[in-house]
Structures are given as structure tokens and as C-alpha cells.
């Protein structure tokens, strides 16, 4: 079974631009969540999607948004990029219903904002 | 709100030795999960071990075991017979146990473990 796939793996943007990151969950996993990892703030929850609905959102500005498609693939978007948005963005999927709590992570998309 | 604290930013150990990583957490919840995740350099985060709060028995996975003390809210990870491949960042994480299925991890700041020959 293929793991969680995130694209692109690396990208460089400039301030003010926007970016879209993609995540394909493990087949059969219907929950997708996103985390931001930075040296200063550590790992922080962005949002979680299930059945195309955002179930919860972390404490991030409205510039951060996401969506989930009917095939459970998810995208997150960051508009009007700031230097502080430079981070590793991790996507995780889980098999909702098993209630094990385990999340399966992708390798991440490393965003650099210049 | 839940918080997870890892007080050891870095640790080092020699191959074949045993090392213990510390983690404390704060919550008013009674039902929850605790995890240790491993993030090797430039590689994806993977689950090392998982503990359900209602279980008194400490979880073990091969060379990895935990010391879970619910009353004092501590959750340490012991790695026995350390191997070079254990070199990684280790994150302690907390998750409320919810019937809704919504799952959100609260992470500690991590402990960087270096295993040397």
C-alpha cells in the first residue's frame, strides 16, 4: 500500500505570492490533517478534513486554507506569503473509524519564502 | 488546552546502550492517547509506540518501551540496544480520544537523539 504522498517536496516563493500544496492519503484513509513544522514554533496543527468537510482548524490566519476532494486528496493554500511561512508542511492521514489515534505522515513539502 | 513538554533538546548515546527520553504532559482529559513519533533526518515521521491512557500496562514494541505514569502525567521512552538507525528527532505527542473521530496531535518540542558507533 502506498504511503502518504505530498507534492511538491520543495519549493521557493517570494513574499506576496501564493502557494498550493497537495496531499494524497493512504488508500482508504478518509481523514487528512495538516501540520506546520518550524524550528521556532515546532509542530503546529493547521486543519483536518473528513468527507470534504473541515472539522477543525488551528490558530492560523485566514491566509491559510485547505480543501478535500471526493477521493480524499487534500490541498492547502497559503496566500500573500510572508517570510514566517517558511516551514515544512506535513500532511497526515488516518483511517477514521478505527479510533487508534495513529496518524500516518508524508515526507512533507518544504516551503522557502524569500 | 493540552500541553506536552520535552525537557531534553538533545541526547546522545553509544550503539548498544540504553537511553531514556522524557516527556510530561498536562491535560484535564481522562481518555487520551500518547505517542512517540520518530523523524529521521529528511525523512518522514513514523510512529514508534502508542499508549492508551486507560491501560495501566506500559506499551512495548521490540526495543522500545514506555514508562507511563498517569497520576504524574509523565510518559518516557526507553530505547534499548540503541542502533545507528535510531538517530532522529523524537516527538512526544498527545491526542484526546474522541468518538467523533476527529484527531489532532499536540506535539512536544522534540528531542534530537544521536547514536554514535
Amino acid at each position: 500500500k502506498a504511503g502518504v504522498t505530498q507534492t511538491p517536496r520543495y519549493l521557493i516563493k517570494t513574499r506576496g505570492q501564493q502557494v498550493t500544496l497537495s496531499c494524497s492519503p493512504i488508500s482508504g484513509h478518509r481523514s487528512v490533517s495538516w501540520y506546520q513544522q518550524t524550528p521556532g514554533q515546532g509542530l503546529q496543527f493547521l486543519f483536518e478534513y473528513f468527507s470534504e468537510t473541515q472539522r477543525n482548524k488551528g490558530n492560523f490566519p485566514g491566509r491559510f486554507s485547505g480543501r478535500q476532494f471526493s477521493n480524499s486528496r487534500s490541498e492547502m493554500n497559503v496566500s500573500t506569503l510572508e517570510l514566517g511561512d517558511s516551514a515544512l508542511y506535513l500532511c497526515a492521514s488516518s483511517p477514521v473509524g478505527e479510533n487508534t489515534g495513529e496518524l500516518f505522515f508524508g515526507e512533507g513539502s518544504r516551503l522557502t519564502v524569500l | 488546552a493540552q500541553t506536552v513538554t520535552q525537557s531534553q533538546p538533545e541526547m546522545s548515546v553509544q550503539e548498544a546502550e540504553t537511553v531514556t527520553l522524557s516527556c510530561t504532559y498536562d491535560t484535564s482529559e481522562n481518555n487520551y492517547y500518547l505517542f512517540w513519533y520518530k523523524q529521521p533526518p529528511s525523512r518522514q515521521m513514523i510512529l514508534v509506540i502508542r499508549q492508551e491512557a486507560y491501560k495501566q500496562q506500559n506499551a512495548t514494541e521490540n526495543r522500545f518501551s514506555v514508562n507511563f505514569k498517569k497520576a504524574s502525567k509523565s510518559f518516557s521512552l526507553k530505547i534499548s540496544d540503541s542502533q545507528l538507525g535510531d538517530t532522529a528527532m523524537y516527538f512526544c505527542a498527545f491526542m484526546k480520544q474522541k468518538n467523533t473521530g476527529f484527531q489532532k496531535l499536540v506535539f512536544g518540542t522534540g528531542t534530537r537523539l544521536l547514536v554514535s558507533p
Side-chain angles (χ1 to χ4, degrees), chain B residues 44-74:
Chain B
Q44 70 193 105
M45 191 163 341
I46 58 173
L47 179 67
V48 174
I49 199 164
R50 167 180 168 271
Q51 175 81 40
E52 291 169 275
Y54 73 88
K55 290 186 177 178
Q56 294 185 339
Q57 187 173 5
N58 290 322
T60 61
E61 286 288 342
N62 301 313
R63 299 182 295 107
F64 299 89
S65 62
V66 298
N67 187 0
F68 172 50
K69 297 180 180 177
K70 191 172 184 179
S72 56
K73 295 179 182 166
S74 72

Side-chain angles (χ1 to χ4, degrees), chain A residues 4 9-10 31 33 35 37 43-45 48 55-56 88 90 94-96 98-107, chain B residues 33 35 37 39 42-47 50 52 89 91 95 97-109:
Chain A
V4 177
R9 290 290 313 284
Y10 302 90
S31 168
S33 50
Y35 291 80
Q37 185 176 17
L43 282 150
Q44 293 188 291
F45 171 77
E48 190 250 4
R55 296 202 289 191
N56 208 330
L88 180 66
L90 295 174
S94 65
V96 174
E98 293 184 11
N99 203 26
T100 64
E102 182 177 358
L103 299 187
F104 296 81
F105 286 85
E107 294 189 36
Chain B
Y33 302 106
F35 307 88
Y37 275 89
Q39 188 178 39
S42 301
R43 294 180 62 186
Q44 70 193 105
M45 191 163 341
I46 58 173
L47 179 67
R50 167 180 168 271
E52 291 169 275
M89 279 289 286
F91 292 96
M95 179 187 288
Q97 188 171 1
K98 302 181 81 164
N99 292 330
T100 58
F102 163 61
Q103 298 169 322
K104 168 191 169 184
L105 282 168
V106 176
F107 286 94
T109 51

Side-chain angles (χ1 to χ4, degrees), chain A:
Chain A
K1 204 183 247 189
V4 177
T5 304
Q6 291 188 245
T7 57
R9 290 290 313 284
Y10 302 90
L11 66 166
I12 300 174
K13 295 285 187 178
T14 57
R15 280 181 298 176
Q17 287 186 313
Q18 74 164 12
V19 67
T20 299
L21 309 178
S22 179
C23 172
S24 293
I26 292 172
S27 177
H29 287 193
R30 296 168 60 195
S31 168
V32 174
S33 50
W34 290 87
Y35 291 80
Q36 181 196 63
Q37 185 176 17
T38 61
Q41 300 297 318
L43 282 150
Q44 293 188 291
F45 171 77
L46 279 158
F47 27 63
E48 190 250 4
Y49 288 88
F50 174 71
S51 290
E52 302 178 63
T53 301
Q54 185 182 90
R55 296 202 289 191
N56 208 330
K57 184 174 181 185
N59 189 25
F60 280 83
R63 300 184 297 107
F64 291 81
S65 63
R67 59 179 174 169
Q68 186 181 35
F69 302 96
S70 58
N71 61 358
S72 294
R73 191 177 69 85
S74 176
E75 290 182 346
M76 67 163 283
N77 183 275
V78 187
S79 62
T80 319
L81 284 166
E82 300 178 359
L83 296 179
D85 297 333
S86 294
L88 180 66
Y89 290 88
L90 295 174
C91 170
S93 72
S94 65
V96 174
E98 293 184 11
N99 203 26
T100 64
E102 182 177 358
L103 299 187
F104 296 81
F105 286 85
E107 294 189 36
S109 292
R110 185 167 294 281
L111 170 65
T112 301
V113 182
L114 303 176

Side-chain angles (χ1 to χ4, degrees), chain B residues 71-89:
Chain B
S72 56
K73 295 179 182 166
S74 72
F75 183 62
S76 61
L77 174 69
K78 185 171 83 172
I79 305 174
S80 304
D81 186 26
S82 296
Q83 301 176 359
L84 296 178
D86 295 334
T87 293
M89 279 289 286

